[in-house]
PDB file of all heavy atoms in Angstrom:
ATOM      1  N   GLU A  48      10.016  20.620  -3.347  1.00  0.00           N
ATOM      2  CA  GLU A  48      10.441  20.340  -1.955  1.00  0.00           C
ATOM      3  C   GLU A  48       9.765  19.103  -1.415  1.00  0.00           C
ATOM      4  O   GLU A  48      10.307  18.463  -0.524  1.00  0.00           O
ATOM      5  CB  GLU A  48      10.080  21.541  -1.092  1.00  0.00           C
ATOM      6  CG  GLU A  48      10.785  22.837  -1.462  1.00  0.00           C
ATOM      7  CD  GLU A  48      10.222  24.001  -0.700  1.00  0.00           C
ATOM      8  OE1 GLU A  48       9.321  23.839   0.141  1.00  0.00           O
ATOM      9  OE2 GLU A  48      10.649  25.119  -1.029  1.00  0.00           O
ATOM     10  N   ARG A  49       8.626  18.694  -1.940  1.00  0.00           N
ATOM     11  CA  ARG A  49       7.886  17.576  -1.345  1.00  0.00           C
ATOM     12  C   ARG A  49       7.999  16.274  -2.135  1.00  0.00           C
ATOM     13  O   ARG A  49       7.303  15.368  -1.902  1.00  0.00           O
ATOM     14  CB  ARG A  49       6.361  17.951  -1.270  1.00  0.00           C
ATOM     15  CG  ARG A  49       6.121  19.085  -0.315  1.00  0.00           C
ATOM     16  CD  ARG A  49       4.628  19.438  -0.271  1.00  0.00           C
ATOM     17  NE  ARG A  49       3.845  18.408   0.262  1.00  0.00           N
ATOM     18  CZ  ARG A  49       3.444  18.407   1.551  1.00  0.00           C
ATOM     19  NH1 ARG A  49       3.732  19.397   2.339  1.00  0.00           N
ATOM     20  NH2 ARG A  49       2.716  17.398   1.987  1.00  0.00           N
ATOM     21  N   LYS A  50       8.964  16.221  -3.062  1.00  0.00           N
ATOM     22  CA  LYS A  50       9.104  15.014  -3.846  1.00  0.00           C
ATOM     23  C   LYS A  50       9.421  13.797  -2.973  1.00  0.00           C
ATOM     24  O   LYS A  50       9.020  12.680  -3.283  1.00  0.00           O
ATOM     25  CB  LYS A  50      10.212  15.183  -4.880  1.00  0.00           C
ATOM     26  CG  LYS A  50       9.798  15.981  -6.056  1.00  0.00           C
ATOM     27  CD  LYS A  50      10.977  16.034  -7.051  1.00  0.00           C
ATOM     28  CE  LYS A  50      10.632  17.002  -8.167  1.00  0.00           C
ATOM     29  NZ  LYS A  50      11.813  17.169  -9.105  1.00  0.00           N
ATOM     30  N   GLY A  51      10.118  14.004  -1.943  1.00  0.00           N
ATOM     31  CA  GLY A  51      10.484  12.908  -1.006  1.00  0.00           C
ATOM     32  C   GLY A  51       9.314  12.267  -0.323  1.00  0.00           C
ATOM     33  O   GLY A  51       9.402  11.136   0.190  1.00  0.00           O
ATOM     34  N   PHE A  52       8.223  12.984  -0.162  1.00  0.00           N
ATOM     35  CA  PHE A  52       7.047  12.473   0.505  1.00  0.00           C
ATOM     36  C   PHE A  52       6.316  11.406  -0.293  1.00  0.00           C
ATOM     37  O   PHE A  52       5.425  10.761   0.180  1.00  0.00           O
ATOM     38  CB  PHE A  52       6.019  13.580   0.827  1.00  0.00           C
ATOM     39  CG  PHE A  52       6.543  14.562   1.888  1.00  0.00           C
ATOM     40  CD1 PHE A  52       6.438  15.902   1.668  1.00  0.00           C
ATOM     41  CD2 PHE A  52       7.162  14.116   3.033  1.00  0.00           C
ATOM     42  CE1 PHE A  52       6.855  16.798   2.656  1.00  0.00           C
ATOM     43  CE2 PHE A  52       7.620  14.982   3.997  1.00  0.00           C
ATOM     44  CZ  PHE A  52       7.473  16.346   3.790  1.00  0.00           C
ATOM     45  N   PHE A  53       6.682  11.197  -1.561  1.00  0.00           N
ATOM     46  CA  PHE A  53       6.043  10.201  -2.391  1.00  0.00           C
ATOM     47  C   PHE A  53       6.785   8.880  -2.357  1.00  0.00           C
ATOM     48  O   PHE A  53       6.227   7.848  -2.829  1.00  0.00           O
ATOM     49  CB  PHE A  53       5.962  10.659  -3.795  1.00  0.00           C
ATOM     50  CG  PHE A  53       5.112  11.916  -3.975  1.00  0.00           C
ATOM     51  CD1 PHE A  53       5.669  13.165  -4.204  1.00  0.00           C
ATOM     52  CD2 PHE A  53       3.734  11.864  -3.895  1.00  0.00           C
ATOM     53  CE1 PHE A  53       4.936  14.250  -4.332  1.00  0.00           C
ATOM     54  CE2 PHE A  53       2.926  12.976  -4.027  1.00  0.00           C
ATOM     55  CZ  PHE A  53       3.571  14.220  -4.244  1.00  0.00           C
ATOM     56  N   ILE A  54       7.982   8.825  -1.822  1.00  0.00           N
ATOM     57  CA  ILE A  54       8.812   7.642  -1.868  1.00  0.00           C
ATOM     58  C   ILE A  54       8.238   6.538  -0.903  1.00  0.00           C
ATOM     59  O   ILE A  54       8.068   5.371  -1.335  1.00  0.00           O
ATOM     60  CB  ILE A  54      10.267   7.927  -1.474  1.00  0.00           C
ATOM     61  CG1 ILE A  54      10.857   8.828  -2.595  1.00  0.00           C
ATOM     62  CG2 ILE A  54      11.074   6.672  -1.310  1.00  0.00           C
ATOM     63  CD1 ILE A  54      12.208   9.414  -2.263  1.00  0.00           C
ATOM     64  N   VAL A  55       7.901   6.896   0.311  1.00  0.00           N
ATOM     65  CA  VAL A  55       7.456   5.893   1.299  1.00  0.00           C
ATOM     66  C   VAL A  55       6.092   5.287   0.885  1.00  0.00           C
ATOM     67  O   VAL A  55       5.959   4.052   0.879  1.00  0.00           O
ATOM     68  CB  VAL A  55       7.359   6.545   2.710  1.00  0.00           C
ATOM     69  CG1 VAL A  55       6.731   5.590   3.676  1.00  0.00           C
ATOM     70  CG2 VAL A  55       8.754   6.922   3.159  1.00  0.00           C
ATOM     71  N   PRO A  56       5.121   6.047   0.462  1.00  0.00           N
ATOM     72  CA  PRO A  56       3.863   5.407   0.024  1.00  0.00           C
ATOM     73  C   PRO A  56       4.074   4.491  -1.170  1.00  0.00           C
ATOM     74  O   PRO A  56       3.479   3.441  -1.257  1.00  0.00           O
ATOM     75  CB  PRO A  56       2.966   6.594  -0.344  1.00  0.00           C
ATOM     76  CG  PRO A  56       3.434   7.725   0.443  1.00  0.00           C
ATOM     77  CD  PRO A  56       4.943   7.507   0.510  1.00  0.00           C
ATOM     78  N   ILE A  57       4.939   4.859  -2.089  1.00  0.00           N
ATOM     79  CA  ILE A  57       5.185   4.032  -3.256  1.00  0.00           C
ATOM     80  C   ILE A  57       5.826   2.735  -2.805  1.00  0.00           C
ATOM     81  O   ILE A  57       5.469   1.614  -3.306  1.00  0.00           O
ATOM     82  CB  ILE A  57       6.040   4.760  -4.316  1.00  0.00           C
ATOM     83  CG1 ILE A  57       5.177   5.872  -4.947  1.00  0.00           C
ATOM     84  CG2 ILE A  57       6.531   3.804  -5.376  1.00  0.00           C
ATOM     85  CD1 ILE A  57       5.956   6.801  -5.836  1.00  0.00           C
ATOM     86  N   LEU A  58       6.773   2.733  -1.824  1.00  0.00           N
ATOM     87  CA  LEU A  58       7.371   1.543  -1.370  1.00  0.00           C
ATOM     88  C   LEU A  58       6.370   0.634  -0.706  1.00  0.00           C
ATOM     89  O   LEU A  58       6.350  -0.608  -0.840  1.00  0.00           O
ATOM     90  CB  LEU A  58       8.475   1.891  -0.383  1.00  0.00           C
ATOM     91  CG  LEU A  58       9.720   2.480  -0.958  1.00  0.00           C
ATOM     92  CD1 LEU A  58      10.681   2.861   0.108  1.00  0.00           C
ATOM     93  CD2 LEU A  58      10.381   1.552  -1.928  1.00  0.00           C
ATOM     94  N   PHE A  59       5.441   1.216   0.044  1.00  0.00           N
ATOM     95  CA  PHE A  59       4.339   0.379   0.723  1.00  0.00           C
ATOM     96  C   PHE A  59       3.404  -0.183  -0.317  1.00  0.00           C
ATOM     97  O   PHE A  59       2.872  -1.251  -0.166  1.00  0.00           O
ATOM     98  CB  PHE A  59       3.612   1.204   1.770  1.00  0.00           C
ATOM     99  CG  PHE A  59       4.373   1.276   3.091  1.00  0.00           C
ATOM    100  CD1 PHE A  59       4.839   2.445   3.586  1.00  0.00           C
ATOM    101  CD2 PHE A  59       4.643   0.112   3.816  1.00  0.00           C
ATOM    102  CE1 PHE A  59       5.568   2.563   4.739  1.00  0.00           C
ATOM    103  CE2 PHE A  59       5.281   0.178   5.028  1.00  0.00           C
ATOM    104  CZ  PHE A  59       5.795   1.368   5.489  1.00  0.00           C
ATOM    105  N   ILE A  60       3.117   0.521  -1.383  1.00  0.00           N
ATOM    106  CA  ILE A  60       2.297  -0.013  -2.470  1.00  0.00           C
ATOM    107  C   ILE A  60       3.006  -1.194  -3.076  1.00  0.00           C
ATOM    108  O   ILE A  60       2.330  -2.259  -3.344  1.00  0.00           O
ATOM    109  CB  ILE A  60       1.932   1.117  -3.476  1.00  0.00           C
ATOM    110  CG1 ILE A  60       0.947   2.116  -2.904  1.00  0.00           C
ATOM    111  CG2 ILE A  60       1.341   0.439  -4.755  1.00  0.00           C
ATOM    112  CD1 ILE A  60       0.676   3.283  -3.726  1.00  0.00           C
ATOM    113  N   ILE A  61       4.264  -1.076  -3.404  1.00  0.00           N
ATOM    114  CA  ILE A  61       5.015  -2.180  -3.969  1.00  0.00           C
ATOM    115  C   ILE A  61       5.025  -3.391  -3.033  1.00  0.00           C
ATOM    116  O   ILE A  61       4.856  -4.526  -3.446  1.00  0.00           O
ATOM    117  CB  ILE A  61       6.410  -1.742  -4.335  1.00  0.00           C
ATOM    118  CG1 ILE A  61       6.381  -0.750  -5.459  1.00  0.00           C
ATOM    119  CG2 ILE A  61       7.337  -2.913  -4.698  1.00  0.00           C
ATOM    120  CD1 ILE A  61       7.709  -0.050  -5.769  1.00  0.00           C
TER     121      ILE A  61
END
Side-chain angles (χ1 to χ4, degrees):
E48 298 170 4
R49 295 180 67 99
K50 284 183 187 175
F52 292 135
F53 297 104
I54 294 171
V55 173
I57 290 172
L58 289 175
F59 280 114
I60 289 172
I61 292 170

